[in-house]
Short mmCIF file of all heavy atoms in Angstrom, two decimals:
data_model
loop_
_atom_site.label_atom_id
_atom_site.label_comp_id
_atom_site.label_asym_id
_atom_site.label_seq_id
_atom_site.Cartn_x
_atom_site.Cartn_y
_atom_site.Cartn_z
N GLU A 151 -8.45 0.90 -5.82
CA GLU A 151 -9.43 1.44 -6.77
C GLU A 151 -10.75 0.71 -6.59
O GLU A 151 -10.77 -0.52 -6.51
CB GLU A 151 -8.93 1.28 -8.21
CG GLU A 151 -7.67 2.09 -8.48
CD GLU A 151 -7.21 2.05 -9.92
OE1 GLU A 151 -7.23 0.97 -10.52
OE2 GLU A 151 -6.82 3.10 -10.43
N ALA A 152 -11.84 1.48 -6.53
CA ALA A 152 -13.16 0.87 -6.40
C ALA A 152 -13.85 0.91 -7.76
O ALA A 152 -13.65 1.84 -8.53
CB ALA A 152 -13.99 1.63 -5.37
N MET A 153 -14.62 -0.09 -8.05
CA MET A 153 -15.41 -0.04 -9.28
C MET A 153 -16.74 -0.75 -9.09
O MET A 153 -16.90 -1.59 -8.19
CB MET A 153 -14.64 -0.61 -10.48
CG MET A 153 -14.33 -2.08 -10.42
SD MET A 153 -13.45 -2.65 -11.91
CE MET A 153 -14.77 -2.80 -13.13
N ILE A 154 -17.69 -0.37 -9.91
CA ILE A 154 -19.00 -1.03 -9.88
C ILE A 154 -19.10 -1.87 -11.15
O ILE A 154 -18.94 -1.35 -12.26
CB ILE A 154 -20.13 0.01 -9.82
CG1 ILE A 154 -19.97 0.86 -8.55
CG2 ILE A 154 -21.49 -0.68 -9.83
CD1 ILE A 154 -21.00 1.94 -8.39
N ALA A 155 -19.27 -3.16 -10.98
CA ALA A 155 -19.32 -4.07 -12.13
C ALA A 155 -20.68 -3.95 -12.82
O ALA A 155 -21.60 -3.30 -12.32
CB ALA A 155 -19.07 -5.49 -11.65
N ALA A 156 -20.77 -4.60 -13.99
CA ALA A 156 -21.99 -4.50 -14.79
C ALA A 156 -23.22 -5.00 -14.04
O ALA A 156 -24.34 -4.51 -14.24
CB ALA A 156 -21.81 -5.29 -16.08
N ASP A 157 -23.01 -5.95 -13.11
CA ASP A 157 -24.14 -6.48 -12.34
C ASP A 157 -24.43 -5.62 -11.11
O ASP A 157 -25.16 -6.04 -10.22
CB ASP A 157 -23.88 -7.92 -11.91
CG ASP A 157 -22.67 -8.02 -10.97
OD1 ASP A 157 -22.05 -6.97 -10.68
OD2 ASP A 157 -22.37 -9.14 -10.52
N ALA A 158 -23.83 -4.43 -11.06
CA ALA A 158 -24.03 -3.44 -9.99
C ALA A 158 -23.35 -3.85 -8.68
O ALA A 158 -23.50 -3.16 -7.67
CB ALA A 158 -25.50 -3.14 -9.75
N SER A 159 -22.57 -4.93 -8.68
CA SER A 159 -21.84 -5.28 -7.45
C SER A 159 -20.59 -4.40 -7.35
O SER A 159 -20.04 -3.95 -8.35
CB SER A 159 -21.45 -6.76 -7.47
OG SER A 159 -20.52 -6.99 -8.50
N HIS A 160 -20.19 -4.17 -6.10
CA HIS A 160 -19.00 -3.36 -5.87
C HIS A 160 -17.76 -4.25 -5.84
O HIS A 160 -17.80 -5.36 -5.31
CB HIS A 160 -19.08 -2.65 -4.52
CG HIS A 160 -20.06 -1.52 -4.54
ND1 HIS A 160 -19.70 -0.24 -4.87
CD2 HIS A 160 -21.39 -1.49 -4.32
CE1 HIS A 160 -20.77 0.53 -4.84
NE2 HIS A 160 -21.81 -0.20 -4.50
N ALA A 161 -16.69 -3.77 -6.42
CA ALA A 161 -15.43 -4.48 -6.32
C ALA A 161 -14.37 -3.47 -5.92
O ALA A 161 -14.45 -2.28 -6.25
CB ALA A 161 -15.06 -5.13 -7.63
N VAL A 162 -13.39 -3.93 -5.17
CA VAL A 162 -12.23 -3.10 -4.85
C VAL A 162 -11.00 -3.83 -5.36
O VAL A 162 -10.86 -5.05 -5.19
CB VAL A 162 -12.12 -2.87 -3.33
CG1 VAL A 162 -10.79 -2.22 -2.98
CG2 VAL A 162 -13.26 -1.97 -2.86
N ILE A 163 -10.14 -3.07 -6.01
CA ILE A 163 -8.87 -3.62 -6.50
C ILE A 163 -7.76 -3.00 -5.67
O ILE A 163 -7.63 -1.77 -5.61
CB ILE A 163 -8.70 -3.29 -7.99
CG1 ILE A 163 -9.78 -4.02 -8.80
CG2 ILE A 163 -7.30 -3.68 -8.48
CD1 ILE A 163 -9.96 -3.48 -10.19
N LEU A 164 -6.99 -3.85 -5.01
CA LEU A 164 -5.86 -3.36 -4.21
C LEU A 164 -4.59 -3.60 -5.01
O LEU A 164 -4.08 -4.73 -5.06
CB LEU A 164 -5.80 -4.10 -2.87
CG LEU A 164 -6.95 -3.84 -1.90
CD1 LEU A 164 -6.81 -4.73 -0.66
CD2 LEU A 164 -6.98 -2.37 -1.50
N GLY A 165 -4.09 -2.57 -5.66
CA GLY A 165 -2.83 -2.68 -6.39
C GLY A 165 -1.68 -2.50 -5.42
O GLY A 165 -1.63 -1.52 -4.67
N ILE A 166 -0.76 -3.46 -5.44
CA ILE A 166 0.33 -3.44 -4.46
C ILE A 166 1.66 -3.61 -5.19
O ILE A 166 1.85 -4.56 -5.95
CB ILE A 166 0.16 -4.59 -3.43
CG1 ILE A 166 -1.19 -4.46 -2.71
CG2 ILE A 166 1.32 -4.59 -2.43
CD1 ILE A 166 -1.54 -5.65 -1.81
N GLY A 167 2.55 -2.66 -4.98
CA GLY A 167 3.89 -2.75 -5.55
C GLY A 167 4.91 -2.75 -4.43
O GLY A 167 4.88 -1.87 -3.57
N ILE A 168 5.81 -3.75 -4.43
CA ILE A 168 6.86 -3.80 -3.41
C ILE A 168 8.21 -3.86 -4.12
O ILE A 168 8.45 -4.72 -4.97
CB ILE A 168 6.70 -5.03 -2.48
CG1 ILE A 168 5.30 -5.09 -1.87
CG2 ILE A 168 7.75 -4.99 -1.37
CD1 ILE A 168 5.06 -6.28 -0.93
N ASN A 169 9.09 -2.92 -3.75
CA ASN A 169 10.43 -2.89 -4.34
C ASN A 169 11.29 -3.94 -3.65
O ASN A 169 11.73 -3.75 -2.51
CB ASN A 169 11.08 -1.51 -4.14
CG ASN A 169 10.31 -0.40 -4.82
OD1 ASN A 169 9.59 -0.64 -5.79
ND2 ASN A 169 10.45 0.81 -4.30
N LEU A 170 11.52 -5.05 -4.34
CA LEU A 170 12.34 -6.10 -3.76
C LEU A 170 13.80 -5.92 -4.15
O LEU A 170 14.68 -5.86 -3.29
CB LEU A 170 11.83 -7.47 -4.22
CG LEU A 170 10.36 -7.79 -3.88
CD1 LEU A 170 9.95 -9.11 -4.50
CD2 LEU A 170 10.16 -7.83 -2.36
N ARG A 171 14.06 -5.82 -5.44
CA ARG A 171 15.45 -5.74 -5.94
C ARG A 171 15.79 -4.37 -6.51
O ARG A 171 16.97 -4.02 -6.63
CB ARG A 171 15.68 -6.78 -7.02
CG ARG A 171 15.48 -8.22 -6.57
CD ARG A 171 16.18 -9.16 -7.52
NE ARG A 171 17.61 -8.85 -7.61
CZ ARG A 171 18.51 -9.24 -6.72
NH1 ARG A 171 18.15 -9.95 -5.69
NH2 ARG A 171 19.77 -8.91 -6.87
N GLU A 172 14.79 -3.64 -6.94
CA GLU A 172 15.03 -2.37 -7.63
C GLU A 172 14.22 -1.27 -6.97
O GLU A 172 13.11 -1.53 -6.50
CB GLU A 172 14.57 -2.45 -9.10
CG GLU A 172 15.11 -3.62 -9.87
CD GLU A 172 16.42 -3.28 -10.55
OE1 GLU A 172 16.77 -2.09 -10.61
OE2 GLU A 172 17.09 -4.23 -11.01
N ALA A 173 14.78 -0.07 -6.98
CA ALA A 173 14.00 1.10 -6.54
C ALA A 173 14.19 2.19 -7.58
O ALA A 173 15.27 2.32 -8.16
CB ALA A 173 14.46 1.57 -5.17
N PRO A 174 13.16 2.97 -7.84
CA PRO A 174 13.30 4.02 -8.84
C PRO A 174 14.22 5.14 -8.35
O PRO A 174 14.33 5.37 -7.15
CB PRO A 174 11.87 4.53 -9.03
CG PRO A 174 11.20 4.22 -7.73
CD PRO A 174 11.84 2.97 -7.21
N THR A 175 14.88 5.79 -9.29
CA THR A 175 15.64 6.99 -8.94
C THR A 175 14.91 8.18 -9.56
O THR A 175 14.07 8.01 -10.44
CB THR A 175 17.08 6.92 -9.51
OG1 THR A 175 16.97 6.65 -10.91
CG2 THR A 175 17.89 5.83 -8.84
N GLY A 176 15.21 9.35 -9.05
CA GLY A 176 14.59 10.56 -9.62
C GLY A 176 13.15 10.75 -9.21
O GLY A 176 12.43 11.56 -9.80
N THR A 177 12.69 10.01 -8.21
CA THR A 177 11.32 10.21 -7.74
C THR A 177 11.26 11.43 -6.82
O THR A 177 12.29 11.82 -6.25
CB THR A 177 10.85 8.97 -6.94
OG1 THR A 177 11.86 8.62 -6.01
CG2 THR A 177 10.57 7.79 -7.85
N PRO A 178 10.08 12.02 -6.66
CA PRO A 178 9.97 13.18 -5.77
C PRO A 178 10.04 12.80 -4.30
O PRO A 178 9.87 13.65 -3.44
CB PRO A 178 8.61 13.77 -6.13
CG PRO A 178 7.84 12.64 -6.69
CD PRO A 178 8.84 11.74 -7.36
N TYR A 179 10.26 11.53 -4.02
CA TYR A 179 10.41 11.06 -2.64
C TYR A 179 11.53 10.03 -2.63
O TYR A 179 11.81 9.40 -3.65
CB TYR A 179 9.10 10.41 -2.15
CG TYR A 179 8.56 9.38 -3.11
CD1 TYR A 179 9.08 8.09 -3.16
CD2 TYR A 179 7.54 9.71 -4.02
CE1 TYR A 179 8.60 7.16 -4.06
CE2 TYR A 179 7.07 8.78 -4.92
CZ TYR A 179 7.60 7.51 -4.93
OH TYR A 179 7.13 6.59 -5.83
N PRO A 180 12.23 9.86 -1.50
CA PRO A 180 13.28 8.85 -1.45
C PRO A 180 12.71 7.44 -1.47
O PRO A 180 11.72 7.16 -0.78
CB PRO A 180 13.99 9.14 -0.13
CG PRO A 180 13.08 9.98 0.67
CD PRO A 180 12.08 10.60 -0.24
N ALA A 181 13.31 6.59 -2.27
CA ALA A 181 12.81 5.23 -2.42
C ALA A 181 13.91 4.24 -2.06
O ALA A 181 15.10 4.56 -2.09
CB ALA A 181 12.35 4.99 -3.86
N THR A 182 13.51 3.04 -1.71
CA THR A 182 14.48 1.99 -1.40
C THR A 182 13.89 0.64 -1.80
O THR A 182 12.78 0.56 -2.32
CB THR A 182 14.88 2.02 0.09
OG1 THR A 182 16.00 1.16 0.29
CG2 THR A 182 13.74 1.58 1.00
N CYS A 183 14.68 -0.40 -1.58
CA CYS A 183 14.22 -1.76 -1.90
C CYS A 183 14.69 -2.70 -0.80
O CYS A 183 15.56 -2.34 0.02
CB CYS A 183 14.74 -2.21 -3.26
SG CYS A 183 16.54 -2.35 -3.31
N LEU A 184 14.14 -3.91 -0.77
CA LEU A 184 14.55 -4.86 0.26
C LEU A 184 16.03 -5.19 0.15
O LEU A 184 16.73 -5.33 1.16
CB LEU A 184 13.72 -6.15 0.15
CG LEU A 184 12.51 -6.23 1.08
CD1 LEU A 184 11.52 -5.14 0.80
CD2 LEU A 184 11.86 -7.61 1.01
N ALA A 185 16.52 -5.32 -1.10
CA ALA A 185 17.92 -5.72 -1.28
C ALA A 185 18.88 -4.72 -0.64
O ALA A 185 19.95 -5.11 -0.18
CB ALA A 185 18.21 -5.86 -2.77
N ALA A 186 18.48 -3.46 -0.58
CA ALA A 186 19.35 -2.44 0.04
C ALA A 186 19.23 -2.46 1.55
O ALA A 186 19.94 -1.72 2.25
CB ALA A 186 18.98 -1.06 -0.49
N ASN A 187 18.35 -3.28 2.06
CA ASN A 187 18.14 -3.36 3.51
C ASN A 187 18.48 -4.74 4.04
O ASN A 187 17.90 -5.21 5.03
CB ASN A 187 16.69 -2.98 3.84
CG ASN A 187 16.45 -1.49 3.70
OD1 ASN A 187 16.67 -0.73 4.63
ND2 ASN A 187 16.05 -1.05 2.52
N GLY A 188 19.40 -5.40 3.37
CA GLY A 188 19.92 -6.68 3.85
C GLY A 188 19.05 -7.87 3.53
O GLY A 188 19.26 -8.94 4.09
N ALA A 189 18.08 -7.71 2.63
CA ALA A 189 17.19 -8.83 2.27
C ALA A 189 17.20 -8.99 0.75
O ALA A 189 16.27 -8.56 0.06
CB ALA A 189 15.78 -8.58 2.80
#
Side-chain angles (χ1 to χ4, degrees):
E151 296 184 318
M153 66 179 281
I154 300 178
D157 63 359
S159 65
H160 287 269
V162 170
I163 295 164
L164 293 175
I166 302 172
I168 307 181
N169 298 334
L170 302 175
R171 300 199 58 80
E172 308 270 347
T175 54
T177 48
Y179 50 80
T182 191
C183 64
L184 263 62
N187 286 273

